[in-house]
Amino acid sequence: MSNYHIKHLEEYYQVYRKSIREPESFWEEIAEEHFLWRKKWDSVLDWDFSKPEISWFKGAKLNITENCIDRHLTTRGDKTAILFEPNHPDEVAEHISYNELYKRVNKFANVLKEQGIKKGDRVCIYVPMIPELAISVLACARIGAIHSVVFAGFSATALATRINDSDCKMVITSDGSFRGSKTIDLKGIVDEALESCSCVETVLVAKRINTEIYMKAGRDKWLAPLLEKASDVCAPEIMNAEDPLFILYTSGSTGMPKGMVHTTAGYMVYTAYTFKNAFQYKENDVYWCTADIGWITGHSYIVYGPLANGATTVMFEGVPSYPDYGRFWDIVQKHKVNQFYTAPTAIRALAKQGTDVIEHYDLSSLKVLGSVGEPINEEAWHWYNENIGKKKSPIIDSWWQTETGGIMISPIPYVTPTKPTYATLPFIGIQPALMDENGNELKGNQVEGRLCIKFPWPSIARTIWGNHQRYKETYFSAFDNKYFTGDGALRDEVGYYRITGRVDDVIIVSGHNLGTAPIEDAINEHPAVAESAIVGFPHDIKGSALYGYITLKDTGETRNHDNLRTEINQLITDRIGPIAKLDKMQFTNGLPKTRSGKIMRRILRKIASNETDSLGDTSTLLNQEVVQDIIDNAL
Ligand code: WTA
């Protein structure tokens, strides 16, 4: 029996029990047998959730890129590591072998060094889904620089906030990006962001769309000529197990986005291990995750997890609807994709197109289908199972978070029997707990509560960049000695978990986490707005969409509401990005508030979801009268 590769259900239970009873010896064995270390650890795990402090493999030394690239060269040098599929199907796909990846990462790493980047420096990567994105991530890791990838759909303001928060010395970007039929002026966004970032000394620019762009003298440099001159050998920086590998921002319910810090050894071990098992990856498989590397799914399951296993990982630049809704299936057929990992929002959008488009493509290579990012509804699950998997490919509904680094609850395909809408069983090493509102753990099956994790796993985020106190308050204060996920879940009669959704003010729109506070702040910047409240409501493709209740200032505002709506969505686009635009905006005379002045979102949520007959108790409201008015004018 190999603990590294689980093949049967009995094996799962056996290995799971071992990983819970003896977590240290379990992970030690995995680490020892499957990775390359420059020095072994002094201790496997040290932890204290009350501080919170967690360290795995303390004292060990390694470089993650040696594990993801160098060690494969003797056995898999010519194998495709990254298979780049461009936005437009007429442009040829690029097969980057492990040998070539080695050279390109090393060259890039040397360019970073030449430009003054050193171990521990933060580098912001604002690059579309082109090979330079993955390569720049790995180049940072090669020299020990901490990468902070910002999804290239974020606005200049959102980018600037993230650059400043982690004090990035460099930004890597491109002249622009292709997204379906659109081109986006990324460099223009960077220029605007940098007007408010004094920490950035250098901007490296990759060429993608070949347009004339402004290059600021002394600051902006084209990447290609620098790469050309650079040596393709760069000795890896030897890192400590707990040295930060990257920062990745995620939305919180309030305030600034949180820069989650992931460290080196534990993250590597856990993402590699979960990749192998959750996708049952075999040597010559072609694996495709449709996420963007700007999100955690892309970090863990396009770059690090697959490459640590010597896999072939597809990187797709485009969108599912361009040039038509057959694009995903065209790619599956063309590259004979074996494992396909996507988000429920994409599945719902594709399902809406009917099945005719699918029939043109040969999907017989598929063996495993994955879903991540939000609860997958039953209808979408069946559609995926029947039309894409032809009822032969198990669906892994994998639950996890930016903070968890890797998959936490998920079926293992061909091992765990699946059940629609259930993420099923905890992954090896993961100890979930469901808690009631009084902080008691709900034991046994058929219970529903708040989802916590009781014991550290190797890839848990170690802190929030620059704000350990917030890390403690957000994740370790709601329940004693437990990591609180912010999600609700239930456990069924056989112990399967079903995630029921967020229990805080984070709304997941098309798989993107959005905090309500920053959106409200953006709206409130409009001179006509007095205050606003955002809630989510069910949407057949996006999962949830945003509903804004907006009270205008009493200035005799006679402006056209349609114009106001456009202006407000423009403000949101400028401050956060188009993903945070509101689907519905209702102008109200007031917002329901408690006597202490807090907006009662529960009521607004019900109204937005058309559930006004179950509003619950409104007698504690300060201004009960606004509720009826809001109901009468609901959209
Ligand atoms: C939600 C994405 C239900 C959940 C990897 C979580 C899910 C948040 C699932 C994290 C799933 C993710 N079923 N809900 N399979 N996967 N979520 O940080 O609310 O972008 O807390 O990480 O997405 O989103 P994040």
Side-chain angles (χ1 to χ4, degrees):
M1 187 181 86
S2 148
N3 288 338
Y4 191 72
H5 187 189
I6 315 279
K7 298 197 189 83
H8 312 284
L9 193 58
E10 312 83 81
E11 210 175 310
Y12 161 81
Y13 281 112
Q14 217 174 325
V15 176
Y16 181 75
R17 274 195 296 273
K18 179 169 179 198
S19 74
I20 300 309
R21 284 194 197 133
E22 307 155 38
E24 298 195 22
S25 66
F26 175 78
W27 287 113
E28 176 160 50
E29 187 190 312
I30 298 284
E32 187 123 31
E33 288 177 9
H34 298 276
F35 299 89
L36 189 68
W37 304 91
R38 289 294 187 112
K39 175 184 173 290
K40 293 276 167 70
W41 42 92
D42 303 318
S43 63
V44 178
L45 171 64
D46 299 271
W47 68 292
D48 179 349
F49 273 177
S50 71
K51 289 195 169 122
E53 268 173 27
I54 303 131
S55 74
W56 283 89
F57 309 110
K58 200 193 262 165
K61 293 195 184 292
L62 73 157
N63 185 288
I64 196 168
T65 66
E66 280 196 300
N67 281 275
C68 288
I69 308 169
D70 305 38
R71 67 172 168 145
H72 304 310
L73 299 183
T74 47
T75 50
R76 306 183 174 105
D78 293 327
K79 177 177 174 176
T80 301
I82 296 177
L83 203 175
F84 171 63
E85 174 65 32
N87 180 56
H88 199 283
D90 289 349
E91 197 181 328
V92 281
E94 196 183 336
H95 291 253
I96 303 171
S97 68
Y98 275 92
N99 280 329
E100 195 190 339
L101 184 64
Y102 172 84
K103 288 191 186 144
R104 290 175 70 172
V105 168
N106 281 302
K107 273 177 169 280
F108 208 127
N110 280 323
V111 169
L112 294 178
K113 281 209 235 169
E114 217 178 83
Q115 298 299 319
I117 299 299
K118 291 185 295 295
K119 177 180 175 181
D121 286 345
R122 274 79 59 208
V123 172
C124 173
I125 302 177
Y126 186 71
V127 175
M129 281 288 282
I130 55 176
E132 285 80 357
L133 173 51
I135 290 167
S136 60
V137 160
L138 293 162
C140 286
R142 186 83 176 168
I143 65 164
I146 303 171
H147 56 77
S148 168
V149 182
V150 176
F151 171 59
F154 274 119
S155 71
T157 315
L159 174 61
T161 306
R162 287 159 175 79
I163 291 173
N164 285 327
D165 182 67
S166 47
D167 218 3
C168 294
K169 219 166 142 180
M170 175 187 270
V171 176
I172 302 170
T173 188
S174 67
D175 55 351
S177 66
F178 293 124
R179 248 185 110 62
S181 56
K182 286 190 239 159
T183 52
I184 297 159
D185 172 21
L186 279 196
K187 176 61 168 52
I189 298 173
V190 170
D191 290 338
E192 195 188 326
L194 293 192
E195 282 169 21
S196 52
C197 304
S198 55
C199 48
V200 174
E201 292 165 11
T202 314
V203 178
L204 296 182
V205 188
K207 254 204 172 92
R208 176 57 181 143
I209 64 170
N210 287 307
T211 49
E212 284 277 314
I213 54 165
Y214 165 72
M215 294 288 278
K216 185 172 173 178
R219 185 194 71 183
D220 302 350
K221 294 166 188 166
W222 288 106
L223 192 55
L226 295 174
L227 285 171
E228 205 171 307
K229 281 189 298 192
S231 153
D232 58 14
V233 178
C234 174
E237 184 78 33
I238 303 309
M239 307 295 286
N240 293 316
E242 284 296 336
D243 279 338
L245 175 63
F246 65 86
I247 301 168
L248 184 60
Y249 287 87
T250 187
S251 305
S253 25
T254 53
M256 283 277 297
K258 298 169 288 188
M260 303 313 306
V261 177
H262 281 284
T263 58
T264 309
Y267 175 82
M268 171 183 78
V269 168
Y270 194 74
T271 53
Y273 184 74
T274 46
F275 173 76
K276 175 74 183 168
N277 288 292
F279 299 100
Q280 291 287 312
Y281 186 83
K282 304 227 171 60
E283 185 58 37
N284 294 313
D285 288 348
V286 174
Y287 160 87
W288 179 22
C289 164
T290 71
D292 192 291
I293 293 176
W295 311 113
I296 191 69
T297 308
H299 280 64
S300 303
Y301 299 112
I302 295 178
V303 182
Y304 289 114
L307 296 179
N309 283 282
T312 297
T313 174
V314 176
M315 232 184 119
F316 175 44
E317 181 182 28
V319 295
S321 55
Y322 178 79
D324 58 51
Y325 277 96
R327 185 68 169 122
F328 272 7
W329 320 130
D330 167 49
I331 296 171
V332 168
Q333 170 179 283
K334 182 159 145 196
H335 300 303
K336 300 196 169 48
V337 170
N338 302 111
Q339 292 91 356
F340 176 74
Y341 193 28
T342 196
T345 185
I347 299 166
R348 289 189 295 261
L350 293 165
K352 212 173 166 195
Q353 305 305 313
T355 50
D356 289 358
V357 59
I358 304 167
E359 273 143 31
H360 302 295
Y361 300 100
D362 176 6
L363 305 182
S364 61
S365 57
L366 289 172
K367 296 193 288 192
V368 176
L369 302 178
S371 169
V372 62
E374 56 184 307
I376 178 167
N377 50 305
E378 187 137 10
E379 203 183 336
W381 195 98
H382 286 296
W383 186 88
Y384 199 25
N385 183 39
E386 282 157 30
N387 298 292
I388 307 305
K390 320 286 183 202
K391 295 191 179 165
K392 288 194 310 249
S393 299
I395 296 177
I396 61 144
D397 176 0
S398 60
W399 171 84
W400 58 293
Q401 309 179 293
T402 303
E403 296 85 339
T404 69
I407 293 173
M408 300 289 282
I409 303 182
S410 169
I412 295 178
Y414 302 99
V415 171
T416 322
T418 58
K419 177 173 174 183
T421 76
Y422 281 74
T424 75
L425 296 172
F427 225 89
I428 305 298
I430 304 305
Q431 304 188 33
L434 297 179
M435 311 297 291
D436 72 13
E437 306 228 340
N438 305 319
N440 302 313
E441 183 174 348
L442 299 160
K443 303 274 187 180
N445 289 338
Q446 289 186 296
V447 288
E448 178 166 358
R450 295 178 177 224
L451 178 61
C452 289
I453 313 291
K454 296 196 268 197
F455 194 86
W457 62 99
S459 65
I460 181 175
R462 306 298 198 256
T463 189
I464 292 175
W465 184 262
N467 199 344
H468 197 66
Q469 188 56 28
R470 187 174 178 200
Y471 176 68
K472 178 176 174 164
E473 280 161 18
T474 311
Y475 304 107
F476 296 91
S477 302
F479 301 99
D480 241 13
N481 217 21
K482 289 182 182 65
Y483 165 82
F484 175 46
T485 64
D487 284 315
L490 61 82
R491 191 161 51 222
D492 76 359
E493 62 288 352
V494 298
Y496 274 17
Y497 288 85
R498 176 187 188 168
I499 312 302
T500 49
R502 302 289 310 179
V503 293
D504 56 11
D505 286 331
V506 172
I507 304 170
I508 304 191
V509 178
S510 299
H512 303 315
N513 295 6
L514 299 171
T516 50
I519 305 176
E520 288 161 5
D521 291 346
I523 298 171
N524 298 350
E525 274 183 45
H526 193 287
V529 172
E531 61 174 351
S532 59
I534 305 297
V535 297
F537 71 98
H539 185 281
D540 61 354
I541 291 178
K542 299 179 183 182
S544 294
L546 300 177
Y547 192 123
Y549 298 91
I550 299 167
T551 309
L552 299 176
K553 282 182 187 152
D554 190 16
T555 51
E557 179 66 49
T558 50
R559 237 181 315 171
N560 179 320
H561 279 183
D562 285 341
N563 290 347
L564 264 179
R565 285 191 177 92
T566 314
E567 288 166 19
I568 288 171
N569 264 337
Q570 189 54 47
L571 254 175
I572 296 173
T573 306
D574 292 345
R575 295 293 175 269
I576 301 156
I579 51 178
K581 283 203 283 193
L582 308 186
D583 270 43
K584 293 185 181 177
M585 277 182 230
Q586 179 178 353
F587 296 101
T588 60
N589 293 320
L591 299 171
K593 296 208 178 135
T594 62
R595 287 178 200 278
S596 59
K598 273 185 84 172
I599 296 170
M600 271 265 226
R601 287 167 198 279
R602 176 174 59 80
I603 292 176
L604 295 175
R605 244 179 251 129
K606 293 260 183 198
I607 299 173
S609 312
N610 236 331
E611 294 169 10
T612 44
D613 27 350
S614 58
L615 277 190
D617 185 14
T618 59
S619 63
T620 57
L621 287 177
L622 189 66
N623 50 353
Q624 226 177 331
E625 71 289 350
V626 302
V627 175
Q628 195 52 47
D629 190 46
I630 294 178
I631 295 175
D632 292 344
N633 294 296
L635 301 169

